[in-house]
Amino acid sequence: MEQSPRPAHCLVFPYPMQGHINPMHQFSKTLVSKGIKVTLVTTKFLSKSFQQLSGSMPVETISDGFEGGYASAESLEAYFSKFKKIGSETLTKLIEKLNATGFPVDCIVYDAMMTWVLDVVKSFGLVSAIFFTQSCAVDNIYYHVKKGLINVPVENRVSLSGLSVLEPLDMPSFVHNPGLYPGLLDIMVNQFSDIDKVDWVLCNTFYKLEEEVIEWMSKQLRLRAIGPTILRKCLNNQKTREDDTDNGLQMFKPNTDAYMNWLNEQQDHSVIYVSFGSLAELNAEQMQELAYGIKQSGKHFLWVVRASEEGKLPKGFVEETSAKGIVVQWCSQMEVLAHKALGCFVTHCGWNSTLEALCLGVPMVAVPIWTDQRTNAKFVADVWRMGVRVDTDKNGVFKGEIVGHCIREVMDGEKGKEVKTTSKKWMDMAREAVKEGGSSDISINEFVASLTQHYK
Ligand code: UDX
């Protein structure tokens, strides 16, 4: 009897950070739904801090060389350098183990921040797929830096292939203010090292969102837009816990889920949701201004302040505003954004948060702090018109009064009406891209077909 062919086996290896794990985990689930066997790879340290491991998807760990993860390294450079060495050794051992136990590996999808993985992939003759977790526009800017087409720090407005004119403060912070973030620009620019040797270049975006820049980057790098890779239950418009209990891989645990009960009691479209992602650390002044803006908006609010940031909340804020809102340490963001009580999202514009709001049609008040968030905020406000942007200076300092004004503008003003209409339009286009026969779905199918051919 003829044996049925085994599924292709793909390792998916995100950089160990929440904003990178989320999109690559969701992409993994799409691959599984298309018949690929996926094993998620993460560091030992991070696997311990996950609140929920990935259900039916196997997870394997390797080492970054640090007992306590990134926080225990003396510098970013030290972390990356040891991760490269120890990561290469332990990833090699992992592949040898999997090859010996009847699940030979065919492909590795790896985060663009870890270009060293390519050498391991090549040493085993596997298919390589590099995954960019940020927008194509942002990738394009770093690519220009890599090619020496723009000088850093950028001090004047620039016009880049595939993009409209950008002011210095519309660029990622590492490009206009590299001195403030030593080492980080190099990491972002190095994403393009050896890229011509990679088989697949995948980017978490979709064609209609970034058409021009995707066209241009496809010509340079054969880049494919395969996003948005966010929780599928939200894309499918299944909004309740009962439909699907997967809320992703969470590095932090909500201190309470009472926020869902609280949201259920609020009027439709009346609540502002405030969150600055998993990484941004606001200083006391930024926190003070944000708190002032929230209060001054007069709206009901749900504000995520991570445990490590709580000490910076203005004294008495929680008690004074308890009739209006709640502060939690972490939440299931997609569930919150999908809730009918949501009116707008005050966001730092991390790329995942931006795509999540986009996919759920939630208008944004963009308050970018650092890294790619400035560029995302520029596009949200001026190109996609899904929200308004609060002016922040080159150090991420902003005025609370402006935050309050922007919230009211989106919730109550004429601008809000326009933003709500365009947000709905983008939501429909995002869903179109990922559904069967959509632009991202076609790209993923091509990738999947190439894997199946590889091992035959
Ligand atoms: C980082 C960078 O800051 C971001 O700019 C880059 O694009 C990716 O890496 P982060 O700051 O964490 O990411 O922001 P973001 O990309 O928005 O990712 C945060 C993720 O955490 C989102 O998927 C969001 O849904 C999730 N989240 C956030 C929660 O699940 N609960 C929360 O309470 C807050």
Side-chain angles (χ1 to χ4, degrees):
M1 209 169 77
E2 202 178 303
Q3 274 198 325
S4 58
R6 69 169 177 88
H9 184 190
C10 214
L11 301 189
V12 175
F13 186 15
Y15 183 76
M17 221 167 75
Q18 184 81 63
H20 291 242
I21 290 160
N22 286 5
M24 293 185 72
H25 176 221
Q26 296 309 319
F27 179 64
S28 304
K29 289 191 344 198
T30 303
L31 293 181
V32 171
S33 75
K34 291 178 183 291
I36 303 292
K37 175 178 168 57
V38 175
T39 301
L40 263 181
V41 179
T42 189
T43 56
K44 279 194 191 106
F45 172 73
L46 203 76
S47 72
K48 285 185 219 145
S49 60
F50 280 144
Q51 301 302 321
Q52 174 208 334
L53 275 179
S54 63
S56 58
M57 197 179 298
V59 178
E60 291 281 354
T61 56
I62 62 151
S63 174
D64 55 9
F66 291 89
E67 283 296 313
Y70 167 64
S72 55
E74 62 268 28
S75 68
L76 189 66
E77 286 84 354
Y79 183 73
F80 267 78
S81 148
K82 198 158 180 189
F83 194 3
K84 177 178 174 179
K85 182 175 181 302
I86 308 289
S88 299
E89 288 164 15
T90 48
L91 181 62
T92 300
K93 284 200 185 111
L94 172 65
I95 298 169
E96 285 165 356
K97 179 186 98 176
L98 293 168
N99 285 351
T101 50
F103 294 110
V105 179
D106 300 294
C107 167
I108 305 191
V109 182
Y110 63 97
D111 197 305
M113 302 247 295
M114 301 182 299
T115 39
W116 52 263
V117 177
L118 184 63
D119 290 337
V120 181
V121 178
K122 293 284 174 203
S123 70
F124 284 93
L126 308 176
V127 176
S128 53
I130 190 166
F131 191 107
F132 285 85
T133 59
Q134 298 191 333
S135 77
C136 191
V138 168
D139 299 332
N140 172 300
I141 294 169
Y142 292 132
Y143 180 70
H144 274 77
V145 179
K146 172 80 183 168
K147 290 276 163 192
L149 299 169
I150 42 177
N151 292 324
V152 173
V154 170
E155 280 162 353
N156 301 306
R157 68 168 52 164
V158 285
S159 171
L160 304 180
S161 315
L163 290 177
S164 54
V165 173
L166 294 172
E167 300 294 337
L169 285 184
D170 297 335
M171 311 282 260
S173 48
F174 312 147
V175 174
H176 68 75
N177 201 359
L180 200 60
Y181 313 98
L184 278 163
L185 180 65
D186 287 346
I187 291 168
M188 303 319 286
V189 169
N190 283 340
Q191 296 181 110
F192 298 95
S193 303
D194 288 332
I195 197 144
D196 47 332
K197 299 189 187 127
V198 180
D199 299 310
W200 289 86
V201 179
L202 311 174
C203 183
N204 186 17
T205 185
F206 61 99
Y207 185 73
K208 283 201 173 151
L209 186 67
E210 299 196 88
E211 198 168 332
E212 231 182 290
V213 68
I214 290 173
E215 284 284 351
W216 193 80
M217 288 289 269
S218 309
K219 287 193 190 108
Q220 315 307 308
L221 306 173
R222 294 163 294 109
L223 174 141
R224 309 286 181 118
I226 47 78
T229 66
I230 66 160
L231 269 189
R232 279 144 58 87
K233 66 175 173 184
C234 295
L235 281 173
N236 296 337
N237 220 2
Q238 299 167 1
K239 293 184 175 176
T240 62
R241 283 166 192 246
E242 292 76 30
D243 289 322
D244 181 346
T245 52
D246 178 17
N247 285 318
L249 283 169
Q250 300 286 357
M251 281 169 63
F252 305 90
K253 192 172 161 36
N255 53 334
T256 167
D257 64 0
Y259 60 84
M260 279 319 261
N261 296 334
W262 181 84
L263 277 176
N264 289 339
E265 285 163 11
Q266 308 306 315
Q267 285 176 8
D268 289 3
H269 311 299
S270 67
V271 171
I272 57 168
Y273 168 59
V274 187
S275 170
F276 282 56
S278 65
L279 211 59
E281 289 175 4
L282 276 63
N283 60 31
E285 184 191 347
Q286 289 166 317
M287 206 69 163
Q288 180 89 35
E289 294 295 328
L290 186 55
Y292 180 77
I294 293 170
K295 211 159 129 183
Q296 213 223 12
S297 76
K299 302 292 174 195
H300 286 86
F301 66 87
L302 166 56
W303 185 6
V304 176
V305 180
R306 298 191 314 276
S308 56
E309 298 282 284
E310 267 182 338
K312 298 178 204 161
L313 272 167
K315 220 165 176 279
F317 177 84
V318 174
E319 297 74 22
E320 271 167 41
T321 56
S322 61
K324 278 285 183 184
I326 51 173
V327 176
V328 297
Q329 289 176 349
W330 193 251
C331 70
S332 170
Q333 179 160 302
M334 289 300 285
E335 279 192 298
V336 168
L337 288 174
H339 200 283
K340 61 183 173 29
L342 251 268
C344 89
F345 181 13
V346 180
T347 171
H348 69 320
C349 272
W351 187 234
N352 296 294
S353 294
T354 303
L355 286 178
E356 289 162 6
L358 185 153
C359 289
L360 290 161
V362 180
M364 287 172 255
V365 171
V367 191
I369 303 295
W370 72 314
T371 175
D372 58 336
Q373 296 151 18
R374 290 190 163 278
T375 316
N376 300 338
K378 157 78 183 166
F379 277 77
V380 163
D382 297 345
V383 180
W384 304 321
R385 308 185 84 75
M386 287 185 282
V388 297
R389 175 169 54 156
V390 171
D391 273 340
T392 54
D393 74 9
K394 68 179 196 163
N395 298 318
V397 176
F398 56 87
K399 289 265 165 272
E401 208 180 314
I402 311 288
V403 175
H405 170 78
C406 287
I407 294 172
R408 286 194 305 277
E409 209 181 352
V410 168
M411 294 287 275
D412 308 323
E414 275 308 303
K415 179 83 185 167
K417 288 187 191 142
E418 180 205 331
V419 160
K420 279 170 201 145
T421 311
T422 40
S423 297
K424 164 89 179 55
K425 190 185 86 183
W426 285 114
M427 174 178 89
D428 293 341
M429 283 196 268
R431 290 171 186 216
E432 219 28 64
V434 290
K435 77 177 200 203
E436 207 181 321
S439 57
S440 294
D441 184 62
I442 291 174
S443 293
I444 298 171
N445 286 344
E446 284 169 11
F447 172 58
V448 166
S450 79
L451 295 186
T452 315
Q453 270 156 17
H454 173 77
Y455 70 80
K456 268 187 182 157

